[in-house]
Amino acid sequence: MSDDREGHGGPADEVEPVSVEPEAEPEETPEAAETSEPPEAVAPVEPGARAEAVAPPDAAGATDGVPPPRPPAPEPPRHGRMPRRNGWISAAKLAASAVAVVAISGIAVTAFAAVDLVSTAASAPTLELANEEILEGVPDIGAMDGGLNFLLVGSDKRPADGSFGDPEEDSAILNDVTMLVHISQDHSHVEVVSFPRDMLVEVPECPDPADPGGEPLSALSEVKINTVLSYGGFNCVAATITQLTGVQIPVGGIVEFYGVAALAEAVGGVEVCIAEQIDDDYTGIHLTPGMQTLTGMQSLQFLRVRHGVGDGSDLGRISNQQVFMSALMRKLQADGTLGDPVQLYSMAKAILANMSLSSALQNPTVLVSIARAVQDIDLSKVAFVQYPTAYTWDQSAVEPTESAGLVNSALQADQPIVLDPAATTDAEFGTGTDPATSAPVDPDAGTDDGTDDGTDDAGGAGEATPPAGALPTDVTGQTAAEVRCSTANEG
């Protein structure tokens, strides 16, 4: 921008000049008087004064023997005064200058934000994925053939400040949260699939993170999925999910403890529904029934709580996490965050400060294309799905059920996953429906007058018909449009 005090160039200098008095007419030199026609000298005119008319000659054409002066020459054009313009023209120029300044400032801020986000992301280790090569030549990552698959891992590595225990003693670098985010090619639906941490999986042969060019790590059989990160790194987790589901994963990231807390702060808190009093001494969270706004560390406690919700297992924790994630998605869309560059920058800054990204996501253009892909999506088409499992014979772990094949097929075919809402409600580890939207109980219900009103003896509605195309009831979860409530662990 220009400095108006110095008069340097710039949009602010291009204003209508103020009218000034003209400069003095230049005097004729003797040489010019001798050669010019008419051969008379005209007295100099003071600046700003008009030339006085010379007295006319007498009848004889002379005055006291002096030749009569010739008629005065026409007044020469004056060059100092600019023509006046209408006021609205000046105002328009000023407005245009202001717009130009704002536009330039906006570009500068955007450029700064992009550089700042890249530098923030670069401060964390860059993750390498073997399948990143499929992005080569793809102009828009948000519209990849078959959709985009993003692996999100939550690490239980304790922060160095010791706020969650000794970072050396209590950290095992386990992927206690493993999610696959699928964005459809036409941006019409999104699936977020959570894999239980105690699920038994087959691990393929993986490059050794400590020696990428050396001998690969051996394949493993029937190991808990949350141990794969410590065994073979992020790329090995991606390879394991690819082998399990049959979809390629070119991008992803690892979120550390403070990432969720920072995100909740950046969006101004997330409102969740609590169906019953929740008390969990392991995480220190205590919540009363009703709508509660979680922010900062309380958000992290809510996502970590296991003993105090559902059935006290990791399956109940996943259902609880889906309550939070769906509420977050509703808030982001209601507030227009994903379409607001300033808010999006604040949110991205908070996440990236506590997250490691794969190399393809170091490019701000890629991040923007992903945000644009989901900013206007119908919330009823965003499904949070728990990968279907059943307990092993000794209850020490879980393993995929036959329904897992249906989830895999939908992901591979880029088809939406349709859930039966009753499945989550009926599951031991599930969440409850929103009391505000539940049908009130009729106090007269249960009286048998011989008529069938379509309700059961308890006064509630009869068994709901599952949506068309819904998967079996061992596939639980919810959509982002649903308001579901966290339930307490009674055992």
Side-chain angles (χ1 to χ4, degrees):
M1 293 178 61
S2 65
D3 186 342
D4 293 334
R5 296 171 299 174
E6 301 294 337
H8 297 307
D13 295 312
E14 297 176 6
V15 297
E16 186 70 24
V18 179
S19 299
V20 296
E21 293 298 329
E23 298 179 357
E25 301 283 348
E27 297 183 13
E28 288 191 29
T29 61
E31 293 77 8
E34 293 176 358
T35 58
S36 62
E37 292 292 340
E40 74 171 36
V42 180
V45 180
E46 292 295 328
R50 300 183 63 86
E52 296 295 336
V54 179
D58 58 17
T63 304
D64 297 331
V66 178
R70 295 179 181 273
E75 185 175 347
R78 313 175 75 130
H79 302 288
R81 188 179 302 273
M82 296 291 289
R84 293 186 178 273
R85 304 278 181 91
N86 290 334
W88 70 267
I89 299 180
S90 297
K93 283 190 175 182
L94 287 170
S97 299
V99 170
V101 170
V102 171
I104 293 172
S105 300
I107 294 172
V109 170
T110 301
F112 167 78
V115 172
D116 189 39
L117 290 179
V118 172
S119 62
T120 301
S123 64
T126 300
L127 306 174
E128 299 294 336
L129 284 174
N131 289 328
E132 282 187 354
E133 60 186 22
I134 67 177
L135 297 177
E136 295 180 4
V138 177
D140 181 6
I141 193 174
M144 287 185 57
D145 184 25
L148 173 68
N149 297 301
F150 182 110
L151 178 64
L152 181 62
V153 165
S155 170
D156 75 339
K157 180 181 179 181
R158 270 45 176 177
D161 61 12
S163 56
F164 292 92
D166 190 316
E168 299 297 331
E169 298 292 332
D170 298 327
S171 289
I173 315 182
L174 301 174
N175 49 303
D176 274 351
V177 175
T178 304
M179 299 180 184
L180 177 65
V181 182
H182 175 80
I183 303 174
S184 67
Q185 182 175 344
D186 62 1
H187 306 169
S188 65
H189 58 92
V190 173
E191 286 71 42
V192 183
V193 183
S194 296
F195 301 90
R197 69 171 190 172
D198 295 326
M199 183 178 71
L200 299 180
V201 294
E202 307 293 317
V203 179
E205 191 177 78
C206 297
D208 186 351
D211 185 17
E215 289 293 321
L217 298 174
S218 301
L220 301 177
S221 179
E222 293 193 341
V223 299
K224 291 185 177 181
I225 192 173
N226 72 330
T227 64
V228 179
L229 181 64
S230 60
Y231 176 69
F234 184 76
N235 183 55
C236 198
V237 178
T240 299
I241 297 298
T242 291
Q243 179 171 275
L244 176 68
T245 62
V247 298
Q248 300 294 313
I249 304 172
V251 292
I254 299 177
V255 181
E256 297 181 356
F257 266 60
Y258 286 138
V260 174
L263 173 59
E265 289 280 0
V267 301
V270 178
E271 188 178 57
V272 298
C273 176
I274 307 299
E276 304 161 336
Q277 177 72 31
I278 294 177
D279 294 297
D280 185 76
D281 294 333
Y282 291 90
T283 60
I285 193 169
H286 303 278
L287 297 171
T288 57
M291 300 302 295
Q292 302 290 343
T293 299
L294 307 179
T295 187
M297 297 306 296
Q298 195 177 36
S299 302
L300 177 58
Q301 292 173 322
F302 185 78
L303 291 176
R304 294 183 64 223
V305 64
R306 173 169 62 92
H307 298 280
V309 297
D311 62 350
S313 71
D314 183 56
L315 306 183
R317 173 162 52 188
I318 289 176
S319 295
N320 203 56
Q321 291 170 346
Q322 291 173 340
V323 168
F324 183 91
M325 292 186 294
S326 62
L328 173 61
M329 191 69 187
R330 290 192 298 272
K331 181 176 179 63
L332 292 178
Q333 194 167 100
D335 292 350
T337 300
L338 296 179
D340 184 332
V342 176
Q343 292 189 57
L344 191 60
Y345 165 75
S346 177
M347 184 179 70
K349 178 76 172 175
I351 296 174
L352 294 180
N354 299 277
M355 188 172 186
S356 300
L357 294 174
S358 60
S359 56
L361 294 180
Q362 303 292 329
N363 184 347
T365 303
V366 174
L367 295 175
V368 169
S369 68
I370 293 176
R372 286 177 176 173
V374 299
Q375 68 180 16
D376 297 321
I377 196 168
D378 184 347
L379 293 178
S380 67
K381 303 299 183 183
V382 179
F384 295 96
V385 182
Q386 181 164 169
Y387 202 71
T389 59
Y391 281 101
T392 57
W393 66 273
D394 60 355
Q395 302 289 306
S396 63
V398 295
E399 52 191 3
T401 65
E402 290 185 5
S403 298
L406 300 176
V407 173
N408 296 343
S409 297
L411 294 172
Q412 295 167 17
D414 195 23
Q415 295 296 314
I417 293 177
V418 181
L419 300 168
D420 181 351
T424 303
T425 303
D426 296 341
E428 292 183 359
F429 53 82
T431 52
T433 57
D434 181 9
T437 59
S438 299
V441 176
D442 184 353
D444 296 329
T447 58
D448 189 359
D449 58 0
T451 62
D452 184 4
D453 59 1
T455 62
D456 57 24
D457 291 340
E463 183 175 347
T465 302
L471 296 185
T473 55
D474 62 337
V475 183
T476 62
Q478 67 173 94
T479 70
E482 290 181 81
V483 177
R484 299 192 66 86
C485 305
S486 297
T487 57
N489 176 22
E490 299 177 356

